[in-house]
């Protein structure tokens, strides 16, 4: 068995970013165990300070699920492994999308409390050609499409990227107009 050794602060931060980006981390103790598994020894005080320096926040889970740590796109960019914006978007959608509805060129996206801004940032940085812009609140974001009738297509794309079937997200992508066209 290899003994865990202390690393420089920058190297430790890079490992923390890799772990948080690669899988759900529900607690500092789980993160400490994951670090130990990759050969990084860290005290709880140091880990707490590292998370603060990286700007990590713990988002509450959906429907009683445990919360997870997330990192803002800004703040730790020099430490992050190179990721294309769509990869980040897929990762964030998988973690944060809880529901989606669309009408005309508007898509309303639901997230756990406090997560809408993280998902909006990922959408903005992904540079999807169909997206004109986003507006985020606490647990809801509005995505405006360039196409006057593009909401349904974008809602379906976001649901697919999130792996909707895997997370049990309801297919709330019909508009009131479409419901009356039977």
């Amino acid at each position: 068995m290899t003994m865990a050794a202390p690393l420089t602060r920058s190297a430790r931060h890079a490992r923390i970013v890799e772990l948080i980006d690669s899988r759900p981390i529900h607690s500092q103790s789980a993160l400490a165990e994951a670090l130990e598994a990759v050969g990084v020894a860290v005290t709880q005080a140091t880990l707490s300070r590292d998370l603060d320096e990286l700007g990590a926040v713990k988002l509450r889970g959906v429907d009683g699920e445990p919360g997870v740590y997330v990192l803002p796109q800004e703040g730790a960019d020099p430490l992050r492994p190179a990721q294309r914006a769509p990869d980040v978007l897929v990762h964030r959608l998988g973690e944060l999308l809880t529901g989606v509805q669309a009408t005309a060129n508007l898509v309303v996206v639901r997230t756990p409390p406090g997560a809408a801004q993280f998902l909006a940032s990922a959408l903005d940085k992904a540079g999807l050609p169909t997206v004109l812009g986003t507006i985020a609140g606490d647990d809801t974001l509005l995505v405006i499409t360039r196409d006057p009738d593009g909401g349904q297509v974008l809602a379906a794309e976001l649901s697919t990227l999130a792996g909707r079937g895997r997370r049990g997200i309801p297919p709330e992508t019909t508009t009131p107009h479409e419901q009356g066209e039977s």
Side-chain angles (χ1 to χ4, degrees):
M1 177 180 231
T2 306
M3 294 295 292
L7 294 178
T8 66
R9 187 176 124 226
S10 294
R12 195 174 58 247
H13 282 194
R15 290 291 174 99
I16 291 169
V17 168
E18 288 171 9
L19 289 168
I20 290 175
D21 279 348
S22 69
R23 60 181 171 225
I25 301 289
H26 300 287
S27 66
Q28 284 187 17
S29 60
L31 181 55
E33 289 172 12
L35 285 165
E36 182 88 20
V38 295
V40 179
V42 64
T43 66
Q44 189 279 327
T46 299
L47 186 55
S48 182
R49 188 171 40 256
D50 288 344
L51 289 168
D52 186 52
E53 289 171 356
L54 289 168
V57 294
K58 189 170 182 181
L59 296 178
R60 288 181 274 178
V62 181
D63 297 329
E65 292 179 21
V68 295
Y69 280 100
V70 296
L71 295 164
Q73 282 307 117
E74 302 80 26
D77 285 346
L79 303 173
R80 287 183 181 276
Q83 282 187 311
R84 296 185 325 269
D87 292 339
V88 172
L89 178 59
V90 169
H91 181 74
R92 292 289 180 241
L93 284 167
E95 287 179 334
L96 303 175
L97 184 79
T98 62
V100 61
Q101 292 180 312
T103 185
N105 71 326
L106 305 176
V107 180
V108 175
V109 178
R110 305 283 183 194
T111 70
Q117 293 180 17
F118 287 105
L119 188 50
S121 176
L123 267 165
D124 291 339
K125 290 180 178 166
L128 299 177
T130 58
V131 174
L132 183 61
T134 61
I135 301 170
D138 181 54
D139 63 355
T140 305
L141 66 123
L142 176 66
V143 184
I144 304 163
T145 66
R146 293 182 191 283
D147 179 353
D149 295 317
Q152 291 295 321
V153 172
L154 182 60
E157 181 182 356
L158 296 177
S159 293
T160 299
L161 289 173
R164 175 173 68 190
R166 195 177 70 236
R167 300 181 61 86
I169 297 170
E172 302 174 22
T173 56
T174 55
T175 64
H177 176 72
E178 287 177 327
Q179 291 172 353
E181 288 183 344
S182 313

